[in-house]
Amino acid sequence: MEAFFHQYLQFSRTFTKKINEHIADLDLYQSQWSIVYYLQKNKTATLVEISNYFQVEKPTITRTVNRLEDRQLIEKVASADKRERRIQLTEKGLDVYDQASAVIDAFEKQLVEEIPKDDLEITFRTIQRLLFKINKEESV
Amino acid sequence: MEAFFHQYLQFSRTFTKKINEHIADLDLYQSQWSIVYYLQKNKTATLVEISNYFQVEKPTITRTVNRLEDRQLIEKVASADKRERRIQLTEKGLDVYDQASAVIDAFEKQLVEEIPKDDLEITFRTIQRLLFKINKEESV
DNA sequence: TGAAAATTAGTTACCTAGGTAACTATATAT
DNA sequence: ATATATAGTTACCTAGGTAACTAATTTTCA
């Protein structure tokens, strides 16, 4: 168990890299994909909502969203609160979602197909517990 | 299980962030730490050895090693092969290792202490299987 | 055997993604 | 009316990647 976290990060890097390779045709990156995915599920969102969901800091979200906007995959939605930047997928964004979704679903399915359901369940719950625990850590 | 990989990456980000916070006093980052750790275990190493071990590309290793060298935590070791850059920890590097090691060990131990050994074992083996599988993926 | 070809180690330049600190503008609370 | 909180941005740090390169070593084979 010595190398638990080492191995954990190893898979994380490799997974992200492979996802990036799989959607490179679409000129998309994993983190961009995750926002596209979120928007498809939630219709509209503010940057703070996205930031909270992924637990990624706001400046990072701002930048990635800007890239999606430059590529016209997302667009602004009117909002009562003038501070807010509420966004949604464009037609083009939805199209990219469909294409990326197919590729990524297949990739992920194939990745776990030989692993017993029970083991995946336990792994999922264990990571969930680790996440819960680490989020209770007082910030330094 | 829908959110398996989403949650996986979430913990990865948060874990790295927390490690960074814990060793910020030492002016160290997680990825720098991992190389310091490797060098303490293996005495000397070339950049390719480090790159292979972490499955991180050579340019990334070059840069991180340069930063460690700038801070005089590592130094060059003579090598027969003139292409190689073989390195080891300096006295200062060993000192930083000792300090970081204590902090990180405690942090990691506390993170897993409430999780049953069996669950950790299964999680470890499952990630190992995922890693094995993903590394068999033909490159795109 | 010795020149040419292929491989290996490392670097440079440049891309995206994570972070923090400090800021502006708007909305909310006092 | 003022103070505080919230949403987002800008500037700048480290870390991951790829592509293309140099220099040194190893392999090939005429």
Side-chain angles (χ1 to χ4, degrees):
Chain A
M1 296 307 297
E2 165 74 9
F4 184 89
F5 293 108
H6 162 67
Q7 185 183 253
Y8 193 99
L9 296 182
Q10 191 107 329
F11 179 75
S12 171
R13 281 192 299 269
T14 308
F15 177 77
T16 303
K17 187 172 166 181
K18 291 285 182 180
I19 291 282
N20 283 339
E21 285 174 5
H22 276 83
I23 57 182
D25 301 339
L26 302 168
D27 266 309
L28 213 59
Y29 286 80
Q30 189 278 328
S31 75
Q32 295 169 12
W33 158 251
S34 69
I35 290 177
V36 168
Y37 181 88
Y38 182 82
L39 287 172
Q40 199 276 342
K41 298 304 172 199
N42 294 74
K43 297 304 179 187
T44 77
T46 66
L47 302 210
V48 164
E49 284 164 12
I50 296 170
S51 171
N52 289 337
Y53 179 69
F54 291 108
Q55 294 181 229
V56 165
E57 299 297 328
K58 289 185 297 176
T60 303
I61 302 298
T62 294
R63 191 181 45 202
T64 302
V65 163
N66 284 346
R67 285 178 181 146
L68 292 173
E69 193 167 48
D70 289 347
R71 290 198 48 212
Q72 299 173 14
L73 302 182
I74 62 152
E75 63 194 357
K76 238 189 148 178
V77 175
S79 168
D81 189 330
K82 282 180 188 166
R83 294 168 304 176
E84 273 186 1
R85 184 176 174 192
R86 183 166 289 276
I87 58 172
Q88 67 182 5
L89 289 180
T90 59
E91 276 300 318
K92 193 176 166 191
L94 255 168
D95 189 54
V96 165
Y97 168 84
D98 287 336
Q99 293 181 61
S101 185
V103 173
I104 291 175
D105 278 7
F107 173 67
E108 293 185 353
K109 216 156 261 163
Q110 169 257 348
L111 215 49
V112 299
E113 71 188 353
E114 285 163 13
I115 297 178
K117 275 268 185 307
D118 290 354
D119 288 359
L120 281 175
E121 288 282 358
I122 291 171
T123 301
F124 184 79
R125 287 211 327 272
T126 301
I127 295 171
Q128 197 166 43
R129 292 183 69 172
L130 285 170
L131 246 181
F132 186 73
K133 177 89 177 191
I134 206 172
N135 281 323
K136 283 204 310 188
E137 279 282 315
E138 69 281 17
S139 304
V140 176
Chain B
M1 294 305 301
E2 166 73 11
F4 184 88
F5 293 109
H6 163 67
Q7 184 182 254
Y8 193 99
L9 296 182
Q10 191 107 330
F11 179 75
S12 171
R13 281 193 300 270
T14 309
F15 177 76
T16 303
K17 187 172 167 181
K18 291 286 183 179
I19 292 281
N20 282 340
E21 286 174 3
H22 276 83
I23 57 180
D25 302 339
L26 301 169
D27 266 308
L28 214 59
Y29 286 80
Q30 189 277 328
S31 76
Q32 294 170 11
W33 158 251
S34 69
I35 291 177
V36 168
Y37 181 87
Y38 182 82
L39 287 173
Q40 199 277 339
K41 300 302 174 200
N42 294 76
K43 296 304 180 187
T44 77
T46 66
L47 302 211
V48 164
E49 283 164 14
I50 296 170
S51 171
N52 289 338
Y53 180 69
F54 291 108
Q55 291 181 232
V56 165
E57 298 297 329
K58 289 183 298 175
T60 304
I61 302 297
T62 294
R63 191 180 48 203
T64 303
V65 163
N66 285 346
R67 283 176 183 146
L68 292 173
E69 193 168 48
D70 289 346
R71 291 197 48 213
Q72 298 173 14
L73 301 183
I74 62 151
E75 63 193 359
K76 236 187 150 182
V77 175
S79 168
D81 191 330
K82 280 179 188 169
R83 293 169 306 176
E84 273 187 358
R85 184 176 173 193
R86 182 165 289 276
I87 58 172
Q88 66 183 4
L89 289 179
T90 59
E91 275 300 317
K92 193 176 165 192
L94 256 168
D95 189 55
V96 165
Y97 168 84
D98 288 337
Q99 292 180 62
S101 185
V103 173
I104 292 174
D105 277 8
F107 173 67
E108 293 185 353
K109 217 156 260 163
Q110 168 258 349
L111 214 50
V112 299
E113 72 189 351
E114 285 163 14
I115 297 178
K117 274 270 186 306
D118 290 353
D119 288 0
L120 281 175
E121 288 282 358
I122 290 170
T123 301
F124 183 79
R125 286 211 327 271
T126 301
I127 295 171
Q128 197 166 43
R129 292 184 68 173
L130 286 169
L131 246 180
F132 186 72
K133 178 87 177 191
I134 206 172
N135 280 324
K136 282 204 307 187
E137 279 283 314
E138 69 281 19
S139 304
V140 177

